Amino acid sequence: MYIPLKKEIVSILVLNQANVLNRVVSMFGRRGFNIDSLTVSATNDPTLSRITIVFSATERSMQQIITQTEKLEVVKSIMIMNRENSLYRELLLLKVNADKEQRSEIKEITDIYRAKIVDLSKESLIIELTGTPEKLNGFMDVMADYDIAEVCRTGITGLETNTRQSE
């Protein structure tokens, strides 16, 4: 029987210590989860870091990995991000080989997507775009008609838009 996988985004607040990322990621790997996207960042509290993980799981296996991750002593809190009341962003750097004639076409596309050309040489240009994963995917689809030399994406990061008061 086929059980559908659901893409989940979790935000984990962890102690800002050496080897914490390895411990959290290893928990996912040991249980057979493939991580689609992973970002780590500082928070306003210097003792904590935020790990944002995107992965696919069944509802049951997702609850199991969340419960097991919560038990790690380095984990302070874990939250499944709700798509309706969360804000997601990702950064894309795209290097495109382009001659003089193609540059104006590419400039028009970057303007439409509100991207920035951050580097320009005779043979290529580098474009920076920040937005939702869907926006970045749409931009990549349009840019597929050009000679893409390199792509670098940061992975998803996000915050809930509604703030909850701590008790």
Side-chain angles (χ1 to χ4, degrees):
M1 180 174 142
Y2 173 73
I3 300 173
L5 296 180
K6 184 178 174 188
K7 188 166 280 213
E8 292 292 348
I9 302 172
V10 295
S11 178
I12 309 168
L13 284 177
V14 297
L15 294 177
N16 188 12
Q17 300 174 347
N19 207 31
V20 170
L21 177 61
N22 184 47
R23 292 182 66 192
V24 172
V25 171
S26 292
M27 172 76 72
F28 280 75
R30 284 192 310 270
R31 281 149 183 83
F33 290 94
N34 183 43
I35 294 175
D36 298 323
S37 172
L38 172 72
T39 60
V40 183
S41 63
T43 66
N44 57 323
D45 180 344
T47 66
L48 298 176
S49 293
R50 179 181 309 279
I51 300 173
T52 306
I53 300 176
V54 180
F55 66 101
S56 297
T58 64
E59 187 66 33
R60 183 168 184 249
S61 63
M62 190 256 314
Q63 287 303 325
Q64 287 175 336
I65 191 66
I66 298 298
T67 301
Q68 291 167 346
T69 304
E70 280 177 322
K71 291 179 183 177
L72 293 172
E73 67 275 1
V74 296
V75 173
K76 292 300 164 198
S77 69
I78 186 167
M79 178 178 51
I80 301 168
M81 304 291 286
N82 181 325
R83 293 180 194 279
E84 286 77 45
N85 60 350
S86 295
L87 181 70
Y88 305 113
R89 292 294 182 263
E90 187 174 1
L91 170 69
L92 166 72
L93 291 175
L94 178 69
K95 185 176 185 179
V96 182
N97 294 323
D99 57 28
K100 210 174 194 178
E101 292 77 39
Q102 292 176 313
R103 286 191 191 137
S104 62
E105 294 173 22
I106 293 171
K107 173 76 170 105
E108 285 181 34
I109 295 167
T110 59
D111 289 346
I112 290 168
Y113 278 88
R114 295 186 179 157
K116 293 186 256 179
I117 297 173
V118 293
D119 185 69
L120 180 63
S121 70
K122 289 183 179 185
E123 301 86 30
S124 66
L125 47 97
I126 297 177
I127 302 165
E128 174 186 312
L129 177 61
T130 303
T132 64
E134 295 79 17
K135 178 180 179 178
L136 273 59
N137 291 340
F139 181 73
M140 290 297 297
D141 286 345
V142 172
M143 293 303 296
D145 292 340
Y146 298 93
D147 183 14
I148 295 174
E150 293 182 65
V151 176
C152 184
R153 288 178 79 157
T154 60
I156 296 170
T157 191
L159 290 173
E160 267 198 346
T161 55
N162 66 338
T163 56
R164 293 186 235 182
Q165 299 296 321
S166 55
E167 301 175 50

